[in-house]
Amino acid sequence: MHQTNKMLGAAIIVGLLLDLTACTTMSPPAAQQSTVTWASRKVLLEQLNVWQISGKIAIITANESGSASIDWSQHPNRYTLSLYGPLGSNAIKMSGGPQHVTMKTSDGKTFSAKSAEQLLAQQWGWQLPLASIQYWIRGLPVPNVPQKSTFDAANRLATLTQQGFTIRYQGYTTAGAMDLPQHLSITSAAIKSKIIIYKWKVS
């Protein structure tokens, strides 16, 4: 039985790795040459402070791996982030603002902390800088933080290195007359993650 469980666990991890690889190697449409400058795009993206996404996130660390559906609703001073595991298991919902976050779990428990990063690490074991991801997911660097970046032919971020993470933008979509990331990977020495956004809603 132990051997069977071990094989099953290995198969799940391999399947997740293959899924990540398939998403990573998927060739998005080539970016067309654009007269829109990065400076112009950056101004528009910085003004986008009310938005919603739905999609999927996959995580691999040295000790574990997992995936979840993600729904994220962002406003200037508050947000709601929901994660749903396979078949709806291990669901969590986080809501709050810069100084206080509350998490509700699928078994009815409630937790609070000063940051979403702390709650996510406690409940799911994922070390992700969500405060930074709210910028990266829009195709923006975190302001006033050292960074290195490259751009595609349309003057959109292609790669970004910041805070010990490398973000690769592998596909964009259009929402609200803006080009927004659809496929991106976020990796560091300790974690590999992949986000696929199925739907953007902007205000």
Side-chain angles (χ1 to χ4, degrees):
M1 179 65 71
H2 176 73
Q3 183 67 20
T4 300
N5 290 338
K6 186 175 180 181
M7 293 175 63
L8 179 60
I12 292 172
I13 293 172
V14 169
L16 179 62
L17 284 167
L18 289 174
D19 182 55
L20 281 171
T21 302
C23 294
T24 302
T25 58
M26 184 184 299
S27 298
Q32 300 297 313
Q33 193 73 35
S34 175
T35 58
V36 181
T37 65
W38 163 243
S40 297
R41 291 192 186 281
K42 184 170 180 286
V43 169
L44 288 175
L45 292 171
E46 287 172 340
Q47 294 172 349
L48 177 60
N49 52 27
V50 179
W51 48 266
Q52 291 177 276
I53 62 165
S54 59
K56 190 165 186 177
I57 182 170
I59 303 288
I60 298 177
T61 69
N63 300 317
E64 60 185 333
S65 60
S67 64
S69 296
I70 180 172
D71 290 307
W72 189 338
S73 177
Q74 182 74 41
H75 291 78
N77 295 312
R78 70 184 192 279
Y79 63 88
T80 301
L81 175 63
S82 299
L83 294 167
Y84 308 91
L87 303 178
S89 64
N90 302 320
I92 61 172
K93 181 177 182 179
M94 292 187 293
S95 58
Q99 301 298 324
H100 183 77
V101 181
T102 299
M103 174 189 288
K104 294 183 179 180
T105 64
S106 56
D107 57 3
K109 296 179 180 178
T110 301
F111 304 90
S112 296
K114 290 185 177 180
S115 72
E117 288 86 352
Q118 181 181 351
L119 288 175
L120 195 60
Q122 289 174 352
Q123 298 303 312
W124 281 51
W126 293 358
Q127 300 287 342
L128 283 176
L130 292 182
S132 298
I133 291 175
Q134 69 165 293
Y135 290 95
W136 298 340
I137 208 166
R138 285 178 284 162
L140 279 170
V142 179
N144 305 315
V145 176
Q147 54 96 6
K148 294 182 179 179
S149 55
T150 64
F151 302 90
D152 64 16
N155 297 318
R156 305 171 302 198
L157 276 181
T159 64
L160 172 65
T161 303
Q162 195 172 39
Q163 295 178 317
F165 286 83
T166 298
I167 303 92
R168 299 184 185 279
Y169 295 90
Q170 296 147 332
Y172 280 83
T173 187
T174 301
M178 288 182 285
D179 288 349
L180 294 166
Q182 188 173 36
H183 298 167
L184 63 153
S185 64
I186 302 172
T187 62
S188 69
I191 192 169
K192 297 180 180 179
S193 65
K194 176 76 180 182
I195 300 175
I196 302 175
I197 300 171
Y198 300 140
K199 183 179 179 180
W200 273 99
K201 183 178 179 181
V202 301
S203 300

